[in-house]
Amino acid sequence: LGNGTEVVITHEASGDFSAPLVMVQSVIGEENWTQSAIPSGSINELGDTLGNLWPRAAVGGDDDEIIHLICVTTPVANAGDDPNAAYQGQNGALLYYRSLDYGATWDMTTFPELDSANFTGFSGDAYSIHARGNVVAFAVFNNLADSFVMISENSGDSWTYENLVDFPVDMYVVDSGLPDSLATDYNGDGLNEEFPTPDGAGAIHVDVNGQVHCVFGGMWVADSDTTDTQYQYYPGTNDLRYWTQGVDSTANI
């Protein structure tokens, strides 16, 4: 940070769904660290405070004073299958936190583009964030759902949604059945069953001109057996895909 301190942010994973994110901070070169909790700000329908997991953070602002952070609320499976862990109708909602004062105080934001009308929830660690000056961007690399980039050019005050991969079925639930008419015969077995999708790994970068770039891994998936509560993927897939701000298409490398 611009005030000469360094910060580490992690989750507590205490076994329930109320544990907040934990931040430790120290002056660079010193041995003493100060620990604090990042207030959750998310409340479920019963009035319970929800905890968060798997944070990613970046530093921005004119003086490197702003911390930008994304994470997901504790999914139901990580809360002992407690359905009350759902937040605003999502099983693992994606949240954005921002501190304008080196981590002293925080505000939390959700996005209408990422709400329960568009996504059933989000997986942990399948996202990346980067900031430079007043530009901050994060990318989410979904499997069986749309993948996207969110960009702010005013330090997180407002955002623009950019599509990376448009999965052909919105709000898809495993075993619902994917339409053969939109599929590809990726494995050459004579059946149109496979769909391209990110593999969950990727990175985002704001360059010195403030332009956003993104790379991510690609794979193919199928859900031809709608009775097994699972979907199929192809480990032999080896795609690396690149996206840059201002270009309409995503290219394979």
Side-chain angles (χ1 to χ4, degrees):
L1 295 168
N3 64 355
T5 64
E6 55 187 339
V7 167
V8 179
I9 299 172
T10 186
H11 61 225
E12 187 174 331
S14 62
D16 61 25
F17 59 67
S18 63
L21 297 178
V22 176
M23 178 179 68
V24 292
Q25 195 166 8
S26 176
V27 175
I28 294 175
E30 295 189 1
E31 296 182 358
N32 296 323
W33 293 78
T34 301
Q35 179 172 315
S36 60
I38 298 176
S40 170
S42 52
I43 309 295
N44 70 3
E45 288 78 1
L46 300 178
D48 301 320
T49 299
L50 301 179
N52 300 317
L53 297 176
W54 303 296
R56 295 289 185 273
V59 172
D62 293 333
D63 299 311
D64 289 337
E65 77 281 11
I66 302 175
I67 305 174
H68 305 277
L69 183 149
I70 54 175
C71 61
V72 294
T73 58
T74 303
V76 170
N78 296 88
D81 292 327
D82 189 337
N84 295 320
Y87 177 59
Q88 295 186 353
Q90 290 182 309
N91 181 10
L94 193 142
L95 308 179
Y96 164 72
Y97 289 81
R98 179 180 67 171
S99 174
L100 299 172
D101 49 16
Y102 303 99
T105 60
W106 294 85
D107 58 72
M108 186 270 281
T109 301
T110 58
F111 303 95
E113 299 92 341
L114 314 185
D115 66 11
S116 59
N118 298 288
F119 294 93
T120 60
F122 297 89
S123 298
D125 292 331
Y127 37 76
S128 176
I129 188 170
H130 189 239
R132 189 188 297 270
N134 294 319
V135 180
V136 55
F138 66 86
V140 177
F141 313 106
N142 282 321
N143 196 336
L144 300 175
D146 291 347
S147 297
F148 57 87
V149 174
M150 296 289 288
I151 301 173
S152 173
E153 297 180 344
N154 51 17
S155 296
D157 289 339
S158 61
W159 294 82
T160 301
Y161 178 100
E162 299 276 359
N163 202 44
L164 278 178
V165 176
D166 185 9
F167 196 73
V169 180
D170 294 334
M171 305 284 288
Y172 184 72
V173 176
V174 172
D175 283 353
S176 297
L178 291 166
D180 293 345
S181 61
L182 299 176
T184 300
D185 183 12
Y186 169 77
N187 62 349
D189 63 356
L191 300 174
N192 287 353
E193 297 178 328
E194 294 83 40
F195 291 79
T197 185
D199 65 6
I204 196 166
H205 181 75
V206 181
D207 69 20
V208 293
N209 298 314
Q211 187 173 11
V212 179
H213 306 262
C214 182
V215 292
F216 58 97
M219 66 177 183
W220 292 79
V221 295
D223 194 14
S224 53
D225 184 346
T226 57
T227 64
D228 61 357
T229 68
Q230 302 179 53
Y231 65 92
Q232 297 77 48
Y233 75 100
Y234 300 85
T237 306
N238 188 23
D239 291 343
L240 180 62
R241 304 182 185 182
Y242 168 72
W243 175 93
T244 186
Q245 187 180 7
V247 178
D248 291 336
S249 62
T250 299
N252 283 343
I253 300 175

